[in-house]
Every structure is written in C-alpha cells, then in structure tokens.
Amino acid sequence: MVQVDVFWSYGIGASFALAAAHQLRARAETGAERRPLPESGEPGGVVTDPFLTGAMLYCAALFAPSGAWLLWGFPNWETMQVGSHSMPAWLVAAFAMTNTTQGVAGYLLTRKLITAGRIRWAVLQAVAGYFSMFFILVHGWDGNGYKRFFSVDKADYRDWAARSALSNVAQWATSSVALTLYGMGVVLVPLMLAMMHRYHRQGLRAAGVRGPGGRTALAITLGTIFVGALGAAIATSLLIHLFTAVTGSIAPGWALGAIVAVPLLWSTMIRRNGLASAVARWLALPAEEQPASSAAPLPAAP
C-alpha cells in the first residue's frame, strides 16, 4: 500500500543491515569497506558494501515492482481506498522510487548505528519501521485502517457496515487482491528471509560467535515483527480508540492515546533491557558499546 510501503521498505533495509551486523562492525574496524584509490593504493572515499548491494537489489528488483503491480492492478486497495487510476503520474513514480530509497535509508542509518556500537538503536530502526507499517494498517489516519485494508475497493469500503467484520475479512481473503498478495508473498518473503539468514550465519561464523539455529532465528525475527511490532501497533490503536470514545473527539483521543502509549512503548521496547536489547542478545548481534564517558573508570585520587 502507498501509505504503508514507505515504512515497510525502511524496515526491510534496516533488517538487512542487522542481518549483516557482525560483518559491518568488522569492516568498519578494519577499514575494509573502503576501496583503495587506483592512483595511490591508499584507502579512499569509495565505500563498498555487498550487503547494501543485496538490499538495494531486493528493493529495486522485487519490492518496488510488486508495489507498482498492485498500484496498477488494484489502485483503490493500494491507496487504502483513496486513489484511483486517475491519480497523477508523478505520484506513481514517487511511490515506486520510495520503495527503494527508503530501503536504502533504513539500511544506511542502521549501518551507521551498528558501526557506532549502538546495537539497541539499530534494532529499533527495524522495529520502528514495522511498527509504523502495522499502525497504518490497523489504525490509519482515521481509525479505519483495518477496514480499508480488508476492503477490495471503494465500494466494499463504503458497504463495510452492511456485513459483519468476519464476513468482510472472509470475502477479502478470497478476492483477486488477496490471491495476488499470496502469490507475491511466496516469492518475496522466503527470498528476503533466506538472504538475511545467510548474512546472519556468515557473520556469526566470521566472528566466532555461537548464535541461534536457523529455526530459532526465524522464530525470533517473526516474533519481533508479529508479536512485538504488530502487538504494539494494535495496543496503540486501541488506546486512541478508547480515548476518542471517552472524549467524543478525534484530536483529544489521539493526544491522550499518544501520552499513554509513548511511555508504554519506551518501557517495553526502547529502554535498555527492553525488547530491542533482548532481540540483539537472542540473535547474538555485536555487543552494545558504552559511551566513552561512562566506559572508562575515573582515576583514583592520589
């Protein structure tokens, strides 16, 4: 979806960088990521990163075309029942572009955090990308995100109240939109997970670190996405709905929901020893580096 993919692609790029965390840390420490300049043989300013290349190829050759396919074939659904085939061409081009550029942005920022030793914040880049994606799917901008997602087109969305929620979901699950998604998912998801698994295993072996097995790593990854990020998005949406019902107005509902949700998200996901720290530990990612000011002890008084 247009409103969703900008965050999804960011999360994908961040996930690729996390999968190669050990390699990125080692390359940064040894300077191996810089290609020698031909004139002097000294390390120059050309950065070479095969893992970034893999992420870019995935986003540009698979993820972006899948979004364009869905936008052309199902413009109502792909725009969350807002747009149609009459949308301007520049918007379509911008959407296709961001499916790659946001993936690169997610990768680069996560790589920067990894090389700086901020592993917890690196993990949070992927979590934040998926949280934002799920929040839009679940809540959207008007509290009807899930209704927009489970409606094939604008007509279905307008008629949502005429059927039960279960009937709407069942009808969507057998629609041409859903069948297309199933087909794409069979190709895109296993390939993405296989690439990340390969990077992760290579990094563990190179670092001499004993990490989780393939199935365990997959369970941790999917659990972080569908329990951690999706669960947080649903909880945040419910809080906004609750306060909107109590106050009878959307703006106070959003404000009060955010006031309650932010500290909850901080305490469960963001703070040290929260979800992000646990994921880094479970996946045997490089250790978090303490700031220089706190890492070195003060000299003893004479």
Side-chain angles (χ1 to χ4, degrees):
M1 288 181 154
V2 171
Q3 297 90 334
V4 169
D5 285 3
V6 62
F7 300 105
W8 191 2
S9 56
Y10 184 93
I12 290 173
S15 299
F16 269 102
L18 284 176
H22 282 289
Q23 296 95 313
L24 295 177
R25 175 71 72 82
R27 290 164 65 86
E29 291 175 350
T30 61
E33 76 278 7
R34 293 194 174 274
R35 180 185 304 162
L37 294 175
E39 295 84 1
S40 62
E42 295 297 326
V46 181
V47 178
T48 60
D49 185 343
F51 311 106
L52 173 59
T53 301
M56 289 177 62
L57 284 174
Y58 179 86
C59 289
L62 291 173
F63 190 71
S66 72
W69 183 337
L70 291 168
L71 184 59
W72 180 260
F74 314 101
N76 290 174
W77 183 84
E78 183 65 11
T79 59
M80 297 189 77
Q81 318 308 334
V82 173
S84 64
H85 278 127
S86 63
M87 71 184 73
W90 66 264
L91 181 61
V92 179
F95 167 62
M97 176 186 70
T98 58
N99 276 353
T100 299
T101 58
Q102 290 305 109
V104 172
Y107 183 97
L108 292 177
L109 180 54
T110 305
R111 183 180 71 180
K112 185 175 182 64
L113 290 167
I114 290 170
T115 56
R118 302 296 184 259
I119 302 301
R120 173 168 56 102
W121 289 100
V123 173
L124 283 168
Q125 300 310 303
V127 174
Y130 279 102
F131 168 82
S132 301
M133 177 193 82
F134 284 131
F135 181 77
I136 295 174
L137 288 178
V138 172
H139 194 90
W141 56 91
D142 58 359
N144 292 325
Y146 69 98
K147 295 179 182 179
R148 296 176 184 275
F149 179 83
F150 287 116
S151 297
V152 176
D153 51 28
K154 291 181 179 180
D156 271 356
Y157 177 62
R158 287 193 299 267
D159 296 337
W160 178 275
R163 299 180 297 271
S164 68
L166 186 59
S167 296
N168 280 295
V169 172
Q171 177 175 302
W172 178 89
T174 57
S175 67
S176 55
V177 174
L179 294 176
T180 303
L181 288 175
Y182 302 153
M184 290 180 175
V186 168
V187 177
L188 268 65
V189 174
L191 178 59
M192 177 179 67
L193 292 175
M195 292 175 68
M196 293 178 183
H197 172 71
R198 181 181 180 187
Y199 295 165
H200 186 224
R201 299 307 301 174
Q202 288 177 342
L204 292 176
R205 286 195 297 268
V209 175
R210 182 177 180 181
R215 293 181 180 178
T216 302
L218 177 61
I220 294 169
T221 301
L222 296 181
T224 302
I225 294 172
F226 292 105
V227 177
L230 177 57
I234 293 174
T236 303
S237 177
L238 290 175
L239 286 171
I240 295 173
H241 278 299
L242 172 62
F243 287 110
T244 298
V246 170
T247 61
S249 181
I250 294 178
W254 270 85
L256 292 172
I259 289 173
V260 175
V262 168
L264 288 176
L265 292 174
W266 176 271
S267 63
T268 58
M269 304 178 71
I270 302 174
R271 70 175 178 86
R272 194 176 300 276
N273 297 324
L275 175 65
S277 295
V279 169
R281 185 171 63 254
W282 294 335
L283 292 176
L285 299 181
E288 183 88 2
E289 290 186 1
Q290 299 294 329
S293 58
S294 62
L298 293 175

